[in-house]
């Protein structure tokens, strides 16, 4: 009989470092080996407990191992359903589509079609771009500074972050980056309503300029709240303007709901805040109920591609469809969108109060449970807009102090100087208070280091 010798966090991390790719990312900020997880908590192999405010980069709407998710997965196993079906249909799949389509706004529901992708958010964004290019016969893509759409060649090409692009040659051509309404670091130096209006005006003028240098676009794509870009919510009026501008010019609008989707921002789909309907939107993360699943939902008018135009082996993950279906139902039945909004308000109010005592907090922002705190150097020279230089070193120190106190908090945004709160939607008020208290202690410690 072999005796299993338990390894420490450090031993497992050393093994990981030795064997895994240099491209690995999260273990660098969160040096632990996970043993088990439940709800918003995870426990490492040495028995230390952490609050998981990262939640699989916004994936775990119901937290870890929610009983209804486990039950749905167990049923798939119990019923001896095939775990892999390519894109051949099953009752589980049809039931998932019923639930998803019945959640769509009226007017879209009747016109919707769905493409199952394989199975990451990035692959579904690729599919959406191909769909729009095929339907329009055009090639230019309009995308936004600060946007994040994935790490494949194509999605990296339409994402803002320069760091991963610098060493990869030959990105997708005819990709055009437009100014996103980023209040704190407004590209027009204005911020607020005026900054957003200038962005919309600039884009509209650009599209009508016969010398803009941009051929008629196949699509415009954006996140309504830039996630990896630093939890930057676009103003509702700006979202409406983008819909008007694209509609008037016959440009398909693709909304990337990979991170915002399924209740996180306070509506089931984040575009609902603006009362608009895109031509296509992409879901992944929460829609798989913790498992890999991604889809493009789109207006049937775009359905011009040929059989097999977007294939992929892993498009039939029955477990993910069952878990996703159960998650979607639970989010709706328990009005978790509204709960996310309420919990998000508590976060932003408390963080804004902290900002009064800590000038190192340059900005607090978000929508629902997508919240960002931008860390700055208040002794630096302010921009014309009044924003201070980013302070990535302090951001890392706060993140590490949080981790040492048992809080896993993601960073992101320009210069990696935004700390992001992305907890599961089931978080309670008491847990929010607990997170805020840890964050406050970590901030105080990091500032005085
Ligand atoms: C808005 C958005 N789009 C696309 C993606 C890419 O998804 P995936 O990592 O599953 O490819 C992400 C991932 O974080 C995302 O946040």
């Amino acid at each position: 009989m072999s005796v299993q010798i338990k390894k420490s966090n450090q031993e497992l991390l050393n093994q990981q470092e030795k064997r895994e790719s240099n491209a690995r990312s999260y273990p660098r900020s969160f040096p632990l080996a996970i043993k088990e997880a439940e709800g918003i908590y995870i426990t490492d192999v040495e028995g230390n407990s952490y609050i998981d405010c990262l939640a699989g980069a916004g994936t775990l709407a119901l937290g870890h191992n929610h009983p209804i998710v486990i039950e749905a997965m167990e049923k798939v196993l119990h019923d001896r359903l095939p775990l892999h079906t390519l894109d051949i249909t099953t009752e589980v799949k049809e039931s998932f589509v019923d639930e998803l389509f019945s959640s769509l706004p009226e007017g879209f529901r009747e016109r919707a079609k769905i493409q199952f992708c394989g199975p990451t958010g990035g692959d579904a964004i690729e599919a959406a771009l191909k769909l729009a290019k095929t339907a329009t016969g055009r090639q230019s893509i309009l995308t936004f500074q600060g946007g994040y759409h994935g790490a494949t060649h194509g999605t990296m090409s339409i994402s803002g972050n320069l760091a991963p692009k610098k060493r990869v040659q030959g990105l997708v051509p005819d990709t055009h980056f437009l100014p996103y309404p980023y209040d704190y670091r407004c590209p027009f130096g204005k911020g607020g309503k005026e900054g957003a209006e200038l962005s919309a005006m600039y884009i509209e003028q650009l599209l009508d300029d016969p010398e803009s240098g941009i051929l008629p676009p196949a699509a415009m794509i954006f996140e309504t709240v830039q996630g990896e870009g630093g939890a930057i919510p676009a103003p509702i009026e700006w979202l409406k303007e983008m819909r008007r501008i694209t509609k008037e010019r016959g440009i398909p609008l693709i909304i990337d709901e990979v991170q915002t989707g399924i209740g996180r921002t306070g509506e089931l789909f984040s575009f609902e805040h603006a009362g608009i309907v895109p031509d296509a939107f992409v879901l992944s993360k929460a829609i798989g109920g913790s498992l890999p699943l991604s889809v493009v939902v789109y207006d049937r008018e775009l359905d011009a591609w040929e059989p097999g135009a977007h294939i992929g082996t892993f498009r039939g993950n029955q477990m993910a469809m069952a878990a996703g279906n159960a998650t979607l139902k639970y989010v709706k039945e328990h009005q978790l969108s509204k709960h996310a909004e309420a919990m998000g308000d508590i976060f932003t109010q408390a963080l804004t109060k902290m900002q009064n005592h800590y000038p190192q907090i340059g900005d607090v922002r978000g929508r629902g449970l997508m919240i960002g705190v931008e860390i700055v150097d208040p002794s630096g020279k302010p921009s014309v807009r009044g924003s201070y230089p980013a302070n990535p070193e302090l951001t890392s120190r706060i993140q590490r102090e949080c981790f040492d106190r048992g809080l896993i908090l993601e960073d992101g945004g320009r210069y990696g100087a935004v700390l992001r709160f992305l907890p599961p939607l089931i978080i309670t008020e008491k847990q929010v208070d607990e997170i805020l208290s840890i964050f406050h202690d970590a901030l105080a410690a990091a500032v005085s280091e």
Side-chain angles (χ1 to χ4, degrees), residues 284-302:
S284 186
K285 295 200 192 265
I287 194 63
S290 313
L291 298 178
L293 183 68
S294 72
V295 296
V296 188
V297 179
Y298 58 93
D299 190 306
R300 57 183 59 240
E301 208 173 285
L302 291 177

Side-chain angles (χ1 to χ4, degrees), residues 61-62 68-73 75-76 90-103 116 262 268 283 285-291 293 295 317-334:
L62 307 185
I68 66 114
V69 170
I70 301 293
E71 190 190 329
M73 288 162 63
K75 184 161 175 11
V76 171
T90 64
E91 285 174 355
V92 168
K93 184 188 235 189
E94 295 306 316
S95 165
F96 169 82
V97 178
D98 285 345
E99 191 61 41
L100 180 55
F101 277 19
S102 73
S103 312
F116 284 84
I262 320 301
L268 200 59
L283 290 169
K285 295 200 192 265
I287 194 63
S290 313
L291 298 178
L293 183 68
V295 296
N317 188 338
Q318 301 300 297
M319 282 266 209
M321 290 173 204
N325 194 344
T327 299
L328 190 52
K329 277 199 181 92
Y330 192 93
V331 168
K332 289 198 290 186
E333 279 167 18
H334 292 80

Side-chain angles (χ1 to χ4, degrees), residues 22 48 172 183 198 234 245 271 288 324 444:
N22 197 41
N48 304 304
V172 175
D183 177 25
L198 284 169
I245 290 168
F271 56 77

Side-chain angles (χ1 to χ4, degrees), residues 179-202 235 363 382-387:
Y180 195 77
Y182 181 1
D183 177 25
Y184 190 65
R185 299 194 187 282
C186 176
F188 302 100
K190 300 287 182 190
K193 192 164 176 275
E194 198 184 351
E197 281 170 1
L198 284 169
S199 158
M201 205 187 296
Y202 172 85
D363 193 29
S383 70
V384 280
R385 154 73 181 80
S387 57

